[in-house]
Amino acid sequence: HEADAYLKLNPLGVVPTLIENERPMIESLGIGLYLADKHADRGLAPALDSPLRAEYCQWMAFSVASLDLHAERNRAVKALPDSPEKKSETASIQSSMDDALDMLERQLGNRTFLLGSTFSAADVQIGYYLFWREKRGMLKNRPNLTAYYTRLRERPAAIKSRVFDDR
């Protein structure tokens, strides 16, 4: 991702990058939304007129705005020298992460996936974030979230792609 050829496609030098119609797309949320709609026959996104579409959009945005944002803030704060401000900011980030995970815990309740019994690209987006949170023990004491994460890991496509393998 630091090679000159890659940086020409994605000047930020981050992953992912998708080449579509000879043009790069560089944001995971945009890529996920685009691919789910482009391949509507795969059923990863509710139709535009579906009653589930608004909730789907909410969870897609939540994956970045409410989950990934905290992870990025946490990485930035970790790089700072130890100080009372760093300790306070770390506690604030942890509280926000816990709030977001607790919201997911309640949302999942008796649901199989975020949209009920229907697996969607929103589950892909959220599942990736949970992969990293589970490695840090943040799913403990959240039985609905733990069961959901297990279901995601056990999907045949997840096993085949090895997306949840330790890195």
Side-chain angles (χ1 to χ4, degrees):
H1 65 90
E2 296 175 354
D4 288 341
Y6 189 81
L7 292 173
K8 285 180 183 176
L9 299 172
N10 187 333
L12 299 177
V14 297
V15 174
T17 297
L18 171 70
I19 307 300
E20 186 69 13
N21 300 319
E22 300 181 25
R23 300 178 80 183
M25 290 184 70
I26 64 170
E27 290 295 333
S28 61
L29 176 59
I31 291 168
L33 288 165
Y34 171 75
L35 290 174
D37 284 342
K38 180 179 179 181
H39 301 284
D41 60 312
R42 303 295 177 105
L44 291 176
L48 293 175
D49 61 351
S50 167
L52 293 175
R53 185 65 183 208
E55 188 175 4
Y56 163 77
C57 290
Q58 169 193 284
W59 292 119
M60 291 294 279
F62 181 85
S63 71
V64 175
S66 295
L67 293 177
D68 197 40
L69 173 67
H70 302 311
E72 292 301 319
R73 282 180 58 211
N74 196 42
R75 273 193 282 279
V77 169
K78 279 185 177 180
L80 299 174
D82 287 337
S83 69
E85 292 81 9
K86 177 180 178 176
K87 186 175 181 178
S88 174
E89 183 64 13
T90 299
S92 172
I93 292 167
Q94 184 61 53
S95 176
S96 294
M97 286 176 152
D98 285 339
D99 289 347
L101 291 173
D102 289 344
M103 180 180 168
L104 278 173
E105 173 70 15
R106 289 187 303 275
Q107 168 66 21
L108 288 163
N110 58 2
R111 292 180 176 206
T112 304
F113 299 108
L114 289 168
L115 300 180
S117 60
T118 304
F119 178 80
S120 72
D123 296 297
V124 174
Q125 288 285 124
I126 300 287
Y128 180 75
Y129 176 83
L130 294 180
F131 172 76
W132 296 105
R133 302 292 63 88
E134 192 273 336
K135 291 172 91 51
R136 290 163 179 79
M138 295 180 72
L139 304 188
K140 291 179 182 169
N141 301 318
R142 293 181 172 103
N144 296 333
L145 204 47
T146 299
Y148 167 70
Y149 180 67
T150 299
R151 285 190 295 279
L152 295 179
R153 287 181 63 104
E154 292 175 349
R155 289 182 54 79
I159 293 168
K160 182 178 180 181
S161 69
R162 302 178 61 193
V163 68
F164 291 112
D165 287 1
D166 287 337
R167 298 173 189 217

